[in-house]
Amino acid sequence: MHNRTKTLGEFIIENQTDFQYSTGELSKLINAIRLAAKVVNHEVNKAGLVDILGDAGDTNIQGEDQKKLDVLANEKFIQTLKNREIVCGIASEEEDDFITINSQDENHNNKYVVLIDPLDGSSNIDVNVSVGTIFSIYRRITPVGTPVQLEDFLQPGNQQVAAGYVVYGTSTMLVYTTGNGVNGFTLNPAIGTFYLSHPNMQFPEDGRIYSVNEGNYVHFHQGVKDYIKYCQKEEGDRPYTSRYIGSLVSDFHRNMIKGGIYMYPKSSVTNNGKLRLLYECNPMAFLAEQAGGLAIGGKSRILDVQPTELHQRIPFFCGSKNMVLKLQEFLDKYH
Ligand code: F6P
């Protein structure tokens, strides 16, 4: 008998009991993200029409202000999560401070916080290159029913209960983990349904792609410079191929499928690199490890870093296991 491809909705229901203490709340949360992803996908696909329909700052035909896509994506995700009353707090790349959600229901016992980068790589929008949304979910540590606190957001990545991304690419995909492997779903835009197209995604153990902004080479630490030279050396299966989209989600997605390493090191000008620990590196690191890859922040595992600030930056190296281990050898030489 032909095995029909599962939809994301079916997958969520079937796997609800996979996670401990499940009350269905996390499933509802993933469902809300699914919905917001579809809405943002629709907006992203219209991006090329901005010059025709009006620039950000203009007023559109309905008298509404045109919004920049990253602002719009932020609003859509926050609205969707708020409306469904399933989280107690949200932190976003677009907001200086975290948002406390006071449910209308006095007895509410929402226990999850969401950290989100609503539109990552947004400088790519103007040139029709893929962008993404990244999300990270934790169980709060302060008492349920009280207003959420900063410490609920500043948990190490190893405490994440779920994480994932949406890539708005040649097709739109939602990829996520709840700690039982990584699954990828592709949107059929004709009917607005995500289908399980990439079950149990795995980073190949070895890879031949390195992704780094080489324009910053002169500012890199010697260990990173040596590793890049190693990647370029003609020996064995090297030189490797260089691929850098400049959109973390897209670079990560390609490397996970084909095998590769993504690097955003610290440099002599950016002491902590560029990427944000809480809503870029941690969710990607969780996905990477769940898919058999690795993610380090220079000296140690990203997921074990104790965050100190909401918008903290950290050097980030992530990808196929053997590539990250090789890079680590180079970094260790100079520590
Ligand atoms: O903020 C994140 C980001 O846009 C990532 O998506 C991307 O990988 C990186 O910055 C690109 O930075 P740069 O332009 O410095 O290489």
Side-chain angles (χ1 to χ4, degrees):
M1 197 182 80
H2 177 66
N3 223 344
R4 191 176 61 82
T5 309
K6 270 187 203 108
T7 66
L8 174 55
E10 288 166 342
F11 183 89
I12 291 172
I13 293 166
E14 279 177 27
N15 292 278
Q16 185 166 314
T17 47
D18 271 6
F19 19 91
Q20 259 182 314
Y21 328 109
S22 174
T23 56
E25 200 181 325
L26 185 59
S27 301
K28 285 191 202 141
L29 182 42
I30 306 278
N31 263 320
I33 289 173
R34 168 179 73 152
L35 175 63
K38 288 185 206 175
V39 175
V40 172
N41 174 63
H42 180 67
E43 298 298 336
V44 168
N45 283 334
K46 288 193 303 191
L49 294 169
V50 159
D51 285 343
I52 299 163
L53 303 176
D55 277 326
D58 286 357
T59 305
N60 70 14
I61 203 153
Q62 287 92 21
E64 298 159 335
D65 283 343
Q66 296 284 328
K67 300 224 168 77
K68 287 185 74 174
L69 264 185
D70 41 6
V71 177
L72 201 84
N74 187 46
E75 285 179 6
K76 295 294 176 200
F77 273 96
I78 290 176
Q79 255 170 28
T80 312
L81 293 169
K82 267 188 175 171
N83 288 350
R84 299 195 155 199
E85 299 196 356
I86 38 179
V87 292
C88 50
I90 306 171
S92 163
E93 200 254 355
E94 294 283 330
E95 312 276 338
D96 290 342
D97 214 345
F98 62 85
I99 299 168
T100 306
I101 299 182
N102 295 313
S103 171
Q104 302 303 314
D105 171 7
E106 278 184 13
N107 302 318
H108 81 101
N109 48 14
N110 299 347
K111 55 182 177 296
Y112 293 106
V113 295
V114 178
L115 296 103
I116 191 158
D117 186 352
L119 210 60
D120 186 68
S122 51
S123 62
N124 278 323
I125 287 173
D126 295 344
V127 290
N128 212 352
V129 171
S130 303
V131 287
T133 297
I134 310 173
F135 61 91
S136 165
I137 301 172
Y138 292 86
R139 195 172 289 114
R140 66 181 302 177
I141 50 177
T142 55
V144 166
T146 63
V148 74
Q149 304 291 329
L150 182 59
E151 62 201 273
D152 293 314
F153 297 91
L154 299 186
Q155 300 187 53
N158 57 31
Q159 295 301 306
Q160 288 173 104
V161 292
Y165 60 81
V166 185
V167 56
Y168 310 98
T170 38
S171 53
T172 292
M173 281 189 70
L174 195 155
V175 175
Y176 78 101
T177 182
T178 52
N180 289 300
V182 176
N183 291 286
F185 301 81
T186 302
L187 181 67
N188 176 347
I191 53 171
T193 303
F194 281 104
Y195 288 95
L196 177 61
S197 52
H198 295 62
N200 192 21
M201 295 178 84
Q202 292 286 329
F203 262 99
E205 274 205 359
D206 295 288
R208 294 200 56 254
I209 297 173
Y210 70 103
S211 317
V212 63
N213 185 341
E214 266 180 275
N216 296 328
Y217 183 87
V218 286
H219 301 299
F220 290 156
H221 181 275
Q222 195 55 45
V224 176
K225 285 182 174 169
D226 288 357
Y227 178 70
I228 292 175
K229 285 293 159 226
Y230 166 86
C231 293
Q232 295 169 342
K233 193 168 178 195
E234 194 156 26
E235 196 174 285
D237 63 345
R238 288 170 285 140
Y240 294 155
T241 294
S242 163
R243 288 282 183 273
Y244 188 70
I245 298 170
S247 176
L248 172 63
V249 171
S250 316
D251 280 310
F252 178 96
H253 187 71
R254 182 209 48 244
N255 289 349
M256 178 160 63
I257 290 173
K258 295 195 165 180
I261 185 169
Y262 175 94
M263 301 182 273
Y264 211 108
K266 67 177 179 187
S267 72
S268 49
V269 283
T270 56
N271 201 26
N272 292 317
K274 177 184 186 193
L275 301 187
R276 313 292 186 147
L277 172 61
L278 289 179
Y279 40 79
E280 291 185 309
C281 305
N282 269 340
M284 289 311 195
F286 189 21
L287 287 160
E289 289 198 4
Q290 284 293 317
L294 287 177
I296 57 171
K299 291 191 192 97
S300 53
R301 187 180 177 224
I302 283 282
L303 293 180
D304 290 337
V305 174
Q306 174 59 54
T308 52
E309 284 169 45
L310 212 47
H311 298 288
Q312 182 174 345
R313 297 177 197 271
I314 190 163
F316 188 57
F317 306 94
C318 172
S320 289
K321 186 173 160 202
N322 291 338
M323 294 185 90
V324 177
L325 290 175
K326 189 59 163 179
L327 164 79
Q328 178 96 67
E329 280 176 30
F330 282 93
L331 298 180
D332 286 350
K333 277 189 201 158
Y334 294 91
H335 277 312

